[in-house]
Amino acid sequence: MSNHFAGAVPFSIPKPPPAPKIRENQTTTNIAAPQSSVTFVYQTKVAESRRSVTVTWSKNLVSHSFCLTVENSSEENNFTCKIDFKAWQFWGKKGLKSFEIDRRRVDVFWDFRQAKFDTTPMPCSDYYVVLVCRQEIVLLLGDLKEEAYKRTRSKPLLEEAALLYKKENVCGKKVFSTKAVLDESPTEHDIVIETSLSGPGDPEMWIIINGTTAIRIMNLNWRFRGNETVTVNGLPVQIFWDVHDWLFSSPGASHGLFIFKPGNSLEFTSHSDPDDNNQHKETPSREFCHFLHAWKEN
């Protein structure tokens, strides 16, 4: 297991997709954490070309929302389908939207009428979202696959969509939970981050995978940034953390950053973020990567 202290990380600190922007009229002493959200970026074949498809699930106290964006040749013409649905509303939970990319029709089908939710922004069961082009399903989300095939009357694409990265915003006081793909299996693993930032002892942090403590970081005031390699199901996983702002910024002003990536290397390719012309985001050059933004509640 390798460990690197603040200021001695052997690779340049990667910058993940930026967190939601803070309103200008908010002050650094009274900043609300963003709503819980999780974003998946896939690559699949749409209209004869490999394109990125971004799927974002969000929730607040009263509703959930879903947003799907398909990359077009011109960034200004990306197609976006957004659905807001509340527990007491039935309309809008099943639908279809169509658009054109390179003169080819693309359809988005969805059915959330029976969808079940737990504590996360995305449904845990009984739903589907389907992206169809030329009678081929190029992206299928959810567990109601038979219903999706029956409704769309389409066949699956021979090459499945590839998941490039996952980005998640979670809020909590001392404990943050997430799920991530950490090995060759598509099954996600349970990850819990526990913190003890105040009290008689030095601040500490634990990163727990599938109920077992993978990393314990003591003297967090000095080790607020670093990375280690752990083993999950016999395979290496790189874990990077940066919790400087938890310790040295105003409460709620910023988030802790965690990156989980299967494999021994942590390689990134930089490109500009369309949501902010002044920032760049880093996405993995070849393999899946999970970005976690952990916002501490006051």
Side-chain angles (χ1 to χ4, degrees):
M1 219 181 254
S2 62
N3 180 51
H4 303 278
F5 292 82
V9 182
F11 51 86
S12 59
I13 299 171
K15 297 179 182 178
K21 299 176 185 178
I22 297 170
R23 295 188 182 94
E24 293 182 358
N25 61 353
Q26 290 177 320
T27 64
T28 58
T29 57
N30 186 23
I31 296 176
Q35 64 181 353
S36 297
S37 65
V38 57
T39 297
F40 299 86
V41 176
Y42 301 88
Q43 189 176 75
T44 188
K45 190 174 182 180
V46 182
E48 305 301 325
S49 298
R50 301 290 296 179
R51 304 175 191 270
S52 295
V53 179
T54 302
V55 175
T56 299
W57 306 87
S58 303
K59 76 166 185 174
N60 54 33
L61 293 177
V62 297
S63 66
H64 288 77
S65 65
F66 167 82
C67 183
L68 182 147
T69 299
V70 180
E71 176 189 22
N72 204 344
S73 55
S74 171
E75 290 187 359
E76 296 180 357
N77 296 323
N78 290 345
F79 172 80
T80 297
C81 172
K82 185 175 182 181
I83 307 163
D84 294 297
F85 44 94
K86 299 178 175 62
W88 60 88
Q89 292 178 341
F90 191 79
W91 57 268
K93 292 187 177 182
K94 180 180 180 181
L96 162 66
K97 286 189 178 181
S98 302
F99 58 99
E100 283 192 359
I101 290 183
D102 292 345
R103 298 182 180 180
R104 290 177 174 82
R105 173 171 168 166
V106 180
D107 298 314
V108 182
F109 297 84
W110 69 87
D111 190 345
F112 297 112
R113 292 175 299 172
Q114 305 299 325
K116 295 180 175 60
F117 292 86
D118 50 21
T119 59
T120 64
M122 62 184 297
C124 56
S125 66
D126 299 331
Y127 76 100
Y128 65 76
V129 178
V130 186
L131 188 65
V132 176
C133 182
R134 300 185 67 179
Q135 295 187 316
E136 288 185 322
I137 293 180
V138 298
L139 181 66
L140 172 57
L141 308 176
D143 58 334
L144 299 182
K145 295 183 179 181
E146 291 186 7
E147 290 84 346
Y149 285 121
K150 182 178 179 180
R151 182 183 177 194
T152 62
R153 299 178 181 177
S154 301
K155 60 182 180 180
L157 194 65
L158 294 178
E159 184 179 355
E160 292 187 0
L163 179 59
L164 298 182
Y165 73 82
K166 176 180 178 180
K167 186 194 77 172
E168 189 171 7
N169 283 306
V170 297
C171 304
K173 295 183 181 295
K174 295 182 179 181
V175 179
F176 305 88
S177 300
T178 185
K179 292 178 178 292
V181 175
L182 300 178
D183 54 27
E184 296 177 348
S185 168
T187 302
E188 293 189 312
H189 297 263
D190 293 319
I191 298 174
V192 176
I193 298 167
E194 294 187 10
T195 63
S196 176
L197 302 184
S198 61
D202 291 329
E204 295 185 45
M205 181 172 68
W206 298 262
I207 299 177
I208 303 165
I209 300 177
N210 297 331
T212 301
T213 299
I215 303 175
R216 179 186 180 186
I217 302 105
M218 303 174 67
N219 302 317
L220 199 58
N221 279 330
W222 298 100
R223 300 179 61 194
F224 53 80
R225 183 182 297 121
N227 68 286
E228 288 194 9
T229 300
V230 302
T231 301
V232 177
N233 288 349
L235 297 174
V237 176
Q238 285 276 321
I239 301 177
F240 168 88
W241 69 89
D242 184 349
V243 295
H244 173 276
D245 290 348
W246 281 1
L247 299 162
F248 305 111
S249 297
S250 301
S254 188
H255 59 274
L257 167 65
F258 298 85
I259 303 175
F260 302 88
K261 182 180 182 299
N264 286 310
S265 63
L266 194 52
E267 299 178 4
F268 290 79
T269 301
S270 176
H271 62 278
S272 60
D273 173 32
D275 295 330
D276 191 337
N277 293 329
N278 296 322
Q279 298 190 41
H280 287 73
K281 65 183 180 181
E282 304 283 341
T283 57
S285 57
R286 289 186 298 272
E287 299 176 340
F288 170 77
C289 201
H290 182 122
F291 297 99
L292 177 67
H293 293 173
W295 295 80
K296 289 189 68 65
E297 298 174 341
N298 297 333

